């Protein structure tokens, strides 16, 4: 008998209670695709016909979306490929609360229209009192585009040649700004640019001076760069792109620029990212002169760049709530990291795994603090564990012929998950 005749019909498989429940949770298209795949496997002789329903259930994803959570054990705190800053529990709860209907533009007291994002904006003002006003758009590139369009379209932006950076994925700052209709006036050289270079370029066509923190590279040697205070005395607005999103100085990163210091030095506007050192969702932060921020908010382009309700909720909870995970990772005690690594390695060794505690050096990542190493500790494994651990959504890094699971970039609560994943990956190692 041709076993293909025994493959159950689609409707018969879909009647399985487990798949009926999955249809309600995941939607009919996903479940039907899993059933079709399982039926094809049975027709191809890979599984017996009576196993089609079980195979379909096993093939179902956990969620209707394709994004999957991972454990970041790379030692890169803000890993762009892994979504940069992990949100705090408070921010996750705020996102969940805002995911349905919410009073994003509704005043519950008056029953009338409310100010969009008022809570998040108030929280940002409170977190950076030096700013006359604040605004939020969907990322830092959007903040720069809005500033350039509103303040310098058809005019010149004066910028040092050493700050004409590529911001990632092939996007370059000069091209981004030129797309707004502004003209770039480059001054100085790659390694040395002085305040006098800027002063010589400023004229009636100047919209503003742009000061960009080169956050994803570092130039050493015979160098010079004008700071915000020097540029602020040249008679035109200074827009300072600080990049990684520190709102105030942090002793762990003494050379990383922050919004409060830049504003105190005379910057008219500061732009920054929300999903880097701030530890919040992807967002572009605009802080500074009240009149200039108002001009940006009134510009028609702002409507295309504004953030959604879930970003507003996550940002407010990040600013008002407990310290986000990035702050904990950045300020982790190296001694405690070493103790965690030793305890985890000891338990794995007892289970027969070639595991060792090792000193490590972590990095900020996300284009922040280039060249700054953070002392850390890791569990060191044979490199053959890399692929099976990746299949279990644990991402480490291979260094000097060993796989390192760096603990500075992981939550201490995930140590049991790391141990379980390593033990499940022992086959073939």
């Amino acid at each position: 008998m041709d076993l293909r005749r025994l493959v159950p019909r689609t409707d018969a498989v879909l009647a399985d209670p487990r798949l009926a429940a999955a249809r309600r949770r995941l939607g009919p298209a996903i479940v039907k695709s899993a059933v079709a795949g399982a039926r094809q496997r049975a027709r191809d002789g890979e599984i017996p016909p009576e196993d089609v329903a079980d195979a379909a259930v096993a093939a179902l994803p956990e969620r209707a979306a394709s994004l999957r959570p991972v454990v970041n054990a790379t030692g890169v705190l803000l890993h762009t490929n892994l979504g940069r800053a992990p949100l705090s529990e408070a921010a996750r709860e705020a996102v969940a609360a805002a995911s349905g209907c919410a009073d994003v533009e509704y005043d519950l007291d008056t029953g009338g229209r409310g100010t969009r994002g008022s809570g998040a904006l108030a929280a940002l003002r409170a977190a950076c009192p030096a700013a006359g006003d604040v605004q939020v758009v969907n990322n830092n590139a959007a903040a720069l585009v809005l500033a350039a369009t509103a303040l310098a379209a058809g005019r010149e932006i004066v910028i040092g040649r050493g700050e004409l950076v590529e911001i990632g994925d092939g996007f370059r700052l000069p091209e981004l700004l030129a797309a707004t209709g502004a003209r770039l006036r480059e001054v100085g050289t790659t390694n040395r640019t002085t305040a006098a270079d800027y002063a010589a370029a400023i004229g009636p066509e100047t919209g503003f001076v742009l000061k960009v923190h080169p956050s994803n590279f570092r130039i050493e040697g015979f160098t010079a760069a004008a700071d915000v205070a020097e540029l602020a005395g040249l008679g035109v607005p200074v827009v300072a792109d600080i990049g990684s999103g520190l709102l105030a100085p942090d002793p762990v990163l003494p050379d990383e620029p922050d919004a409060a210091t830049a504003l105190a030095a005379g910057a008219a506007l500061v732009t920054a990212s929300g999903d880097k050192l701030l530890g919040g969702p992807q967002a572009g932060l605009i802080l500074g002169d009240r009149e200039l921020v108002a001009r940006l908010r009134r510009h028609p382009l702002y409507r295309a760049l504004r953030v959604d309700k879930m970003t507003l909720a996550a940002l407010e909870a990040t600013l008002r709530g407990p310290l986000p995970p990035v702050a904990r990772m950045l300020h982790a005690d190296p001694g405690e990291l070493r103790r965690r690594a030793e305890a985890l390695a000891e338990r794995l060794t007892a289970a027969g795994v070639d595991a060792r505690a090792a000193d490590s050096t972590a990095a900020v990542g996300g284009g922040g603090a280039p060249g700054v190493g953070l002392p850390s500790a890791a569990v060191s494994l044979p490199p053959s564990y890399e692929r099976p651990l990746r299949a279990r959504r644990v991402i480490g890094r291979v260094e000097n012929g060993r796989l390192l699971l760096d603990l500075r970039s992981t939550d201490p609560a995930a140590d049991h998950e790391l141990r379980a994943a390593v033990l499940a990956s022992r086959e073939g190692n």
Side-chain angles (χ1 to χ4, degrees):
M1 178 182 294
D2 187 349
L3 292 180
R4 289 176 293 183
R5 293 180 178 272
L6 300 179
V7 175
R9 299 198 320 260
T10 297
D11 58 349
V13 181
L14 288 172
D16 184 289
R18 297 169 296 172
L19 295 169
R23 283 168 62 91
R24 294 189 294 271
R25 182 172 61 87
L26 299 173
I30 291 175
V31 175
K32 190 172 182 179
S33 176
V35 170
R39 293 183 72 243
Q40 186 61 50
R41 290 181 64 196
R43 284 193 293 268
D44 293 341
E46 297 179 18
I47 58 174
E50 62 269 22
D51 288 352
V52 167
D54 290 342
V57 171
L60 291 173
E62 295 178 32
R63 301 170 184 82
S66 61
L67 288 177
R68 293 169 291 181
V70 302
V71 175
N72 175 16
T74 64
V76 179
L77 310 191
L78 300 167
H79 201 301
T80 297
N81 301 134
L82 302 181
R84 290 185 178 162
L87 294 179
S88 66
E89 193 62 36
R92 296 184 193 196
E93 292 175 0
V95 169
S99 60
C101 293
D103 57 343
V104 63
E105 288 186 19
Y106 185 80
D107 190 321
L108 287 168
D109 293 327
T110 66
R113 187 183 182 92
T115 301
R116 183 181 182 87
S118 57
L121 296 177
L124 185 54
R125 290 188 198 97
C128 189
D133 203 356
V134 300
Q135 192 50 258
V136 180
V137 289
N138 52 32
N139 59 25
N140 191 31
L144 283 176
V145 164
L146 182 58
T149 305
L151 306 180
R155 304 180 70 193
E156 291 183 345
I157 297 174
V158 181
I159 183 171
R161 285 191 173 88
E163 298 174 7
L164 296 171
V165 299
E166 182 172 311
I167 57 178
D169 197 26
F171 290 97
R172 294 176 173 176
L173 187 65
E175 297 166 358
L176 188 74
L177 295 174
T180 69
R183 302 187 303 275
L184 293 188
R185 182 74 177 271
E186 302 172 19
V187 299
T189 62
T190 302
N191 61 317
R192 291 182 64 84
T193 305
T194 66
D197 295 320
Y198 290 90
I202 290 173
E205 291 297 301
T206 303
F208 60 83
V209 169
L210 178 59
K211 177 67 178 174
V212 177
H213 174 55
S215 57
N216 55 7
F217 70 96
R218 183 172 61 182
I219 298 177
E220 297 179 337
F222 186 55
T223 63
D227 59 28
V228 170
E230 292 177 283
L231 300 178
L234 299 180
V236 295
V238 175
V239 176
D241 172 14
I242 63 171
S244 58
L246 276 185
L247 297 184
D250 191 311
V252 175
L253 303 172
D255 296 325
E256 193 72 9
D258 66 276
T261 300
L263 291 169
L269 293 176
V270 170
T271 68
S273 295
D275 59 345
K276 296 183 181 179
L277 290 173
L278 184 64
Q282 177 177 295
L285 313 180
I286 303 171
L287 312 98
D289 179 80
R290 182 183 300 274
E291 191 276 330
L292 291 182
V293 171
R295 283 177 62 183
L296 269 57
R297 184 182 296 117
R298 291 193 298 265
H299 195 279
L301 184 61
Y302 167 71
R303 180 63 175 78
L305 302 177
R306 74 179 190 179
V307 296
D308 72 339
K309 60 185 179 181
M310 289 181 283
T311 300
L312 291 169
L315 179 61
E316 182 176 0
T318 299
L319 292 164
R320 294 195 189 278
L323 288 176
V326 168
R328 174 190 55 75
M329 293 187 291
L330 189 63
H331 294 271
D333 175 31
E336 177 57 29
L337 294 174
R338 180 73 191 194
R339 285 188 287 274
R340 283 175 57 198
E342 289 174 349
L344 189 51
E346 183 178 350
R347 296 184 70 186
L348 290 172
T349 299
V353 176
D354 176 12
R356 316 165 195 165
D359 291 330
S360 174
T361 301
V364 172
V372 175
L374 303 170
S376 186
V379 175
S380 170
L381 300 167
S384 55
Y385 276 86
E386 190 272 336
R387 186 167 183 173
L389 278 173
R390 180 158 38 86
R392 290 171 173 81
R393 304 176 195 173
V394 174
I395 317 298
R397 72 178 190 272
V398 175
E399 188 175 283
N400 298 324
R402 298 281 291 185
L403 173 65
L404 299 184
L405 302 181
D406 196 305
L407 299 185
R408 186 180 275 269
S409 58
T410 69
D411 191 315
D415 285 359
H416 69 284
E417 185 177 351
L418 286 175
R419 176 178 176 271
V422 172
L423 292 178
S425 301
R426 281 182 298 179
E427 185 176 345
N429 285 285

